Amino acid sequence: MSEASAHHAADRRELTAAQRNAVAELLRVSPVADELGRRFVRAGHELHLVGGSVRDALLGRLGDDLDFCTDAHPDETLRIIKGWAESIWETGREFGTIGAQRDGLRLEITTFRAESYDQVSRNPVVVYGTSLDEDLKRRDFTINAMAVSLPDHRFTDPHGGLDDLSAKVIRTPSTPGESFGDDPLRMLRAARFAAQLRFAVHPDVHLAMTEMAADLDRITAERIRDEFTKLLCGADPITGLRLLVDTGLAERFLPELTGLKLEIDEHAQHKDVYEHTLTVVENAVSYEEEGCDFILRMAALLHDAGKPATKAVGSDGRVSFHHHEVVGARLTKARMKAMRYPKDVTAQVTALVALHLRFYGYGRGEWTDSAVRRYVADAGDLLPRLHKLTRSDCTTRNRRKAAQLAADYDALEDRIARIAAEEDLARVRPDLDGNAIMELLGVPPGPVVGRAWKHLKEQRLEHGPLDRDAAEAELLRWARAEGILG
């Protein structure tokens, strides 16, 4: 062995020892885990901290959720923790999992598994295993296939997860084909971990993801949605998104993303929509104040989803995407519905996609105060996100143009603030409410009141607040013109 190789090997041994000591120290300052381990041992059973908990402990980011595995079956686990746990839940019992809470920690204790799949069903069939090694082998990735036994803190790593963690690589305990054949969702989880941990997938894993992408069709929309949401909310969503596109996984559940890779030729050049979109997502992340804003990130991802369907080449060779925001909003709504996102989340993302182009043209000085009011009214509670999305959408490399767009939007925000100081823009409503309309017109509740209310709101947006006399005069004028009053 060369001197350099020996030095590298020594560094790896020191790193491994340091990481193992970190796990032991984290467990030492968390007496709940050791206390629980002693209870299982006294009852004649094993208990091991496992999976993501060990991985996160090694990364120095262990949270309040701890995952354990044991040879005890759920009924036995319940007997062991009864009277000790502050609360217990059995929602995962059919999968061998019992949940508990103690001293502010959420604990999930799962019986050793040896899951089997029929290659057709969309959910695993749980078969209890008999050993820790068997349990670790069935886990998705080597970095999640490590365990710390309790209470003695013995470290078990049969698949080289510690080395992979040090190398920042995602690899499977068994062959990728076997692992993904068992549960195709693991392909999406590989991309998710790449985004969350900033890790690279092993070439063999990448190849299997590409060859087996169609197997993702066996998975329910809800499970795909949950994994994709975690991916998009990762520390590095761009890496995860590129993996989805490069392996063909995106085509199985989010074809709009792959569709952004429009052909660019020398005669009809335009901005690379796919690369532009990834940059917009990256920009949107930088505007977040704390935590992941999924609605903003998803709107950034799909804001140009309508471009492929609206691409046109003019006689001068220039490419246009007229009304792509309208088409994009429709596609966004349909895709998020197919992925089973909640209606309120879908509505917010769709609205942002529909509004993301509204700002362009402001710099030409064409906007009146009424246009600003409409911009604010249409955005509603989404206005802060719309500000961020619009700024994120500026990806031009032309510094002068970028500076001008930024200055224009600064001016718009200043103008919104000025008008808001004079009017309650967040709650633009007619100057007369429904009761006043019915009393003044002498009509009962019904369509006429709604039409009158809408007309007065339009007047409010166009001209700003009206005093009581002016509002009543406008209502009467409208009612006569509509034939409601003689």
Side-chain angles (χ1 to χ4, degrees), residues 76-313:
E76 297 168 283
T77 294
L78 284 169
R79 284 195 292 270
I80 292 170
I81 65 175
K82 187 176 182 181
W84 175 81
E86 295 161 359
S87 61
I88 296 173
W89 55 93
E90 302 181 46
T91 51
R93 185 188 182 107
E94 64 176 311
F95 299 107
T97 300
I98 300 297
Q101 182 163 325
R102 172 84 176 193
D103 292 349
L105 297 175
R106 287 174 56 89
L107 320 171
E108 287 202 344
I109 307 163
T110 303
T111 304
F112 289 153
R113 289 183 186 171
E115 289 177 349
S116 61
Y117 298 75
D118 62 11
Q119 303 296 317
V120 176
S121 66
R122 294 171 177 174
N123 292 306
V125 177
V126 176
V127 177
Y128 293 147
T130 57
S131 70
L132 175 62
D133 284 347
E134 186 180 21
D135 183 272
L136 295 179
K137 184 178 180 180
R138 57 149 285 276
R139 293 183 177 266
D140 52 6
F141 305 110
T142 59
I143 59 174
N144 297 330
M146 298 176 282
V148 175
S149 301
L150 301 168
D152 61 345
H153 297 177
R154 176 171 46 86
F155 184 75
T156 302
D157 180 22
H159 303 288
L162 194 58
D163 286 340
D164 288 341
L165 199 65
S166 298
K168 297 185 176 181
V169 65
I170 297 168
R171 195 168 54 85
T172 55
S174 57
T175 68
E178 290 175 326
S179 181
F180 298 155
D182 280 347
D183 186 359
L185 188 68
R186 289 173 174 172
M187 294 186 286
L188 191 51
R189 284 171 62 82
R192 189 252 285 189
F193 281 121
Q196 286 185 328
L197 302 176
R198 300 181 187 274
F199 281 19
V201 298
H202 189 276
D204 290 345
V205 172
H206 192 287
L207 179 61
M209 290 167 68
T210 304
E211 293 178 343
M212 302 177 67
D215 286 13
L216 194 65
D217 296 349
R218 290 163 40 200
I219 305 300
T220 62
E222 290 81 2
R223 293 181 72 202
I224 291 174
R225 174 201 64 204
D226 292 346
E227 283 297 329
F228 176 74
T229 299
K230 293 174 184 176
L231 183 158
L232 193 58
C233 280
D236 181 18
I238 306 307
T239 291
L241 293 169
R242 287 191 186 280
L243 265 173
L244 294 182
V245 172
D246 293 347
T247 59
L249 285 168
E251 189 66 31
R252 314 312 304 186
F253 69 96
L254 191 60
E256 291 78 10
L257 177 57
T258 304
L260 294 175
K261 301 189 79 169
L262 300 178
E263 180 180 354
I264 301 175
D265 60 59
E266 59 182 352
H267 303 295
Q269 292 189 356
H270 58 82
K271 184 184 296 183
D272 187 323
V273 181
Y274 173 68
E275 291 297 335
H276 163 74
T277 294
L278 296 183
T279 301
V280 174
V281 173
E282 194 170 29
N283 290 344
V285 172
S286 72
Y287 280 114
E288 291 173 344
E289 294 164 9
E290 59 178 82
C292 170
D293 185 343
F294 172 77
I295 290 171
L296 175 62
R297 293 191 187 194
M298 191 66 167
L301 183 66
L302 295 175
H303 78 287
D304 277 347
K307 279 192 171 181
T310 57
K311 179 182 176 182
V313 181

Side-chain angles (χ1 to χ4, degrees), residues 36-48 69-81 109 111-112 130 149-152 154:
L36 182 61
R38 286 190 289 270
R39 293 181 71 89
F40 272 79
V41 169
R42 285 198 299 267
H45 292 289
E46 304 174 25
L47 186 72
H48 312 273
C69 67
T70 178
D71 60 338
H73 286 200
D75 287 342
E76 297 168 283
T77 294
L78 284 169
R79 284 195 292 270
I80 292 170
I81 65 175
I109 307 163
T111 304
F112 289 153
T130 57
S149 301
L150 301 168
D152 61 345
R154 176 171 46 86

